[in-house]
Amino acid sequence: MNKMKQQNIALVTGGSRGLGKEMVLRLAQKGIDIILTYNSKHDEAQEVVEQVNLLGQRAVAIQLNVADTASFEDFFGKVKHVLKDTFETDRFDYLINNAGIGIHKSFVDTTEEDFDTLLNIQFKGVFFLTQKALPLMNDGGSVINISTGLARFSFPGYAAYASMKGAVETLTKYLAKELGERRIRVNVVAPGAIETDFGGGAVRDNENMNKTIASVTALGRAGVPEDIGGVVAFLCTEEARWINAQRIEVSGGMML
């Protein structure tokens, strides 16, 4: 089935809250329809769907645990139905691998369970979700992987987390190379420290940490979700058509 009209659809993982929610809303503002995933926050996800509808775009929320690769086939079965029933097409255009968690532990205190949790969510999930998504993606689309400033600079307590994100950044370059024949662009957006509930809300709620981050950031403050969503949305526009295999750090100039 070919598209009946010009439309663009983005699949955003972890789109019910924090950075993911902001990405969804900024994409919708650019006229892009949304499939967003949530792990457990169904009500929050539905609120985001309603906000997208108010912006004049269509959205559907589907439950997904990105750590459970065995569930991906069933998930994409649901995506196929949504594409057909809601959007009257069989393809989507943009994949934003945003879903994730943070575990703050020193290297010596990081357990194998901590490591495996981060591996499954932050890297293995991204790897195989993207693989499963490709048959449903339009040529000329885009994949955006979310990394972290911590893959460039180091703060104690994030050795495992940042290592997984470093792996994602390397994967991004390989994907850009291998998907080039389909004109699918693949880029990384690497936020700095952002005031959300991520990692227990430490950047937002810990005054000392917030001040420390502001002191090592050229623009003099910690980031907020509104700083990130627009960059992701821009990468899903025709204006960004020649940006490929790039790491775009959105940190206000941290640790320069």
Side-chain angles (χ1 to χ4, degrees), residues 21-40:
K21 175 182 176 180
E22 185 64 24
M23 293 170 196
V24 165
L25 297 178
R26 295 300 290 271
L27 286 161
Q29 288 172 355
K30 289 190 176 295
I32 297 171
D33 290 328
I34 306 292
I35 300 172
L36 66 99
T37 78
Y38 65 95
N39 185 22
S40 60

Side-chain angles (χ1 to χ4, degrees), residues 16-17 20 23 44 46 53 79-80 84 97 100 114 118 122 149 162 171 182 197 202 211 217 235 238 240-241 254:
S16 65
R17 59 200 296 189
M23 293 170 196
E44 290 184 11
Q46 287 306 126
N53 292 337
V79 170
K80 288 179 183 178
K84 180 181 178 181
N97 286 307
D114 295 330
L118 288 168
Q122 304 287 7
L171 173 65
R182 290 185 56 187
D197 59 4
K211 287 181 177 179
T217 301
L235 290 172
E238 178 65 14
R241 66 186 179 274
M254 280 187 71

Side-chain angles (χ1 to χ4, degrees), residues 1-254:
M1 181 190 307
N2 293 322
K3 289 186 173 184
M4 298 177 66
K5 65 183 181 64
Q6 181 63 39
Q7 70 184 112
N8 291 299
I9 303 167
L11 171 58
V12 183
T13 66
S16 65
R17 59 200 296 189
L19 296 185
K21 175 182 176 180
E22 185 64 24
M23 293 170 196
V24 165
L25 297 178
R26 295 300 290 271
L27 286 161
Q29 288 172 355
K30 289 190 176 295
I32 297 171
D33 290 328
I34 306 292
I35 300 172
L36 66 99
T37 78
Y38 65 95
N39 185 22
S40 60
K41 304 290 186 179
H42 174 268
D43 291 346
E44 290 184 11
Q46 287 306 126
E47 289 176 7
V48 177
V49 167
E50 291 171 8
Q51 290 180 55
V52 171
N53 292 337
L54 289 173
L55 291 169
Q57 299 303 129
R58 294 172 292 180
V60 176
I62 306 176
Q63 195 279 332
L64 174 67
N65 177 1
V66 295
D68 182 11
T69 55
S71 72
F72 289 176
E73 191 156 345
D74 179 66
F75 168 73
F76 279 108
K78 294 175 182 176
V79 170
K80 288 179 183 178
H81 285 296
V82 165
L83 288 171
K84 180 181 178 181
D85 297 342
T86 301
F87 302 110
E88 301 176 329
T89 186
D90 58 359
R91 296 286 188 274
F92 66 93
D93 303 277
Y94 311 116
L95 172 63
I96 294 91
N97 286 307
N98 166 71
I101 65 165
I103 295 177
H104 181 259
K105 282 190 177 181
S106 69
F107 174 77
V108 297
D109 290 332
T110 299
T111 66
E112 191 170 349
E113 182 180 4
D114 295 330
F115 184 96
D116 287 344
T117 296
L118 288 168
L119 174 68
N120 289 335
I121 295 173
Q122 304 287 7
F123 183 55
K124 184 179 178 182
V126 170
F127 191 107
F128 289 104
L129 190 79
T130 304
Q131 188 184 80
K132 292 284 189 183
L134 286 173
L136 296 180
M137 288 188 66
N138 279 315
D139 291 354
S142 178
V143 177
I144 300 168
N145 294 322
I146 305 303
S147 181
T148 175
L150 292 162
R152 176 179 65 83
F153 51 78
S154 301
F155 277 99
Y158 294 101
Y161 172 78
S163 294
M164 304 308 166
K165 292 300 194 181
V168 166
E169 294 191 6
T170 297
L171 173 65
T172 297
K173 290 183 283 188
Y174 276 84
L175 289 175
K177 187 75 168 180
E178 294 194 24
L179 301 182
E181 63 184 9
R182 290 185 56 187
R183 294 177 290 105
I184 293 176
R185 299 176 296 108
V186 190
N187 292 290
V188 166
V189 170
I194 308 294
E195 295 179 2
T196 68
D197 59 4
F198 186 82
V203 174
R204 179 190 62 203
D205 301 332
N206 185 316
E207 184 177 357
N208 288 334
M209 178 179 287
N210 196 285
K211 287 181 177 179
T212 297
I213 290 164
S215 72
V216 297
T217 301
L219 294 181
R221 64 170 173 84
V224 294
E226 291 80 2
D227 296 325
I228 308 301
V231 178
V232 171
F234 163 70
L235 290 172
C236 296
T237 65
E238 178 65 14
E239 287 82 359
R241 66 186 179 274
W242 206 236
I243 300 175
N244 195 23
Q246 299 304 302
R247 178 188 189 274
I248 301 174
E249 184 172 308
V250 191
S251 69
M254 280 187 71

